Amino acid sequence: MSENVERPRDPELAALDRLVGTWKVTGGAEGTVTYRWMEGGYFLIQEVDLTQYGERIKGIEVIGRERPFGAEGPGEDLKSRYYGHQGDTLDYVYELGGDVLTIWGGKKGSPAYMRASFDSTGDVLSGAWVYPGGGGYESVSTRVERPQGDH
């Protein structure tokens, strides 16, 4: 199979295209996050550079469907793994329904999650992280840059 063959895009994963670009994050964490597609379109990469509670949070997250060695097809959920500069590896599940993005901590249905809504322009994402036992925080992300060629 030629490397240049166009593959059918996973519609649920392709919907996360709304995240592509650089976002200024304010609220309980402050800084920037940038989303971009990895070549092939199977994974969305997030680069994180934030400050929270006076500590720097820097890392990358890879978002897509798991397809382990020997699997006949991709997994059901859009999963991710975050790799942080202090050795953290955190797993999440992404769900986008209409204008509402939910990021579940660990697995779908977890008591730790972020739920946020896009505004009518698609350039502001407002919501909150919820943690069991409290300690969550509100967050607003405003797109400050789109990749060239996007409208």
Side-chain angles (χ1 to χ4, degrees):
M1 181 181 247
S2 168
E3 297 250 354
N4 295 328
V5 171
E6 188 70 25
R7 294 180 179 94
R9 297 244 0 234
D10 173 330
E12 199 176 342
L13 181 59
L16 295 183
D17 199 51
R18 297 178 77 172
L19 294 170
V20 172
T22 299
W23 299 76
K24 179 181 178 186
V25 178
T26 58
E30 308 262 335
T32 60
V33 296
T34 300
Y35 291 89
R36 63 180 168 77
W37 287 106
M38 186 171 131
E39 187 173 339
Y42 289 100
F43 297 98
L44 187 63
I45 308 297
Q46 178 185 195
E47 297 173 49
V48 176
D49 190 354
L50 300 170
T51 302
Q52 183 177 35
Y53 308 122
E55 288 192 39
R56 184 110 186 256
I57 301 169
K58 195 162 174 77
I60 62 166
E61 183 178 16
V62 180
I63 306 159
R65 294 199 193 272
E66 289 182 331
R67 191 168 62 187
F69 183 76
E72 293 193 21
E76 183 180 332
D77 292 330
L78 292 179
K79 293 187 175 183
S80 76
R81 174 157 285 176
Y82 168 82
Y83 300 89
H85 79 288
Q86 294 185 340
D88 297 333
T89 57
L90 306 172
D91 294 328
Y92 298 96
V93 174
Y94 276 65
E95 265 189 312
L96 180 61
D99 289 332
V100 178
L101 174 66
T102 303
I103 304 172
W104 301 99
K107 63 182 181 176
K108 193 183 286 186
S110 167
Y113 62 91
M114 189 276 288
R115 184 161 291 135
S117 298
F118 286 96
D119 74 350
S120 61
T121 68
D123 288 330
V124 178
L125 185 62
S126 302
W129 279 96
V130 175
Y131 300 132
Y137 61 90
E138 292 187 14
S139 179
V140 176
S141 297
T142 304
R143 191 186 328 258
V144 294
E145 184 180 317
R146 286 185 182 270
Q148 289 192 347
D150 283 12
H151 303 290

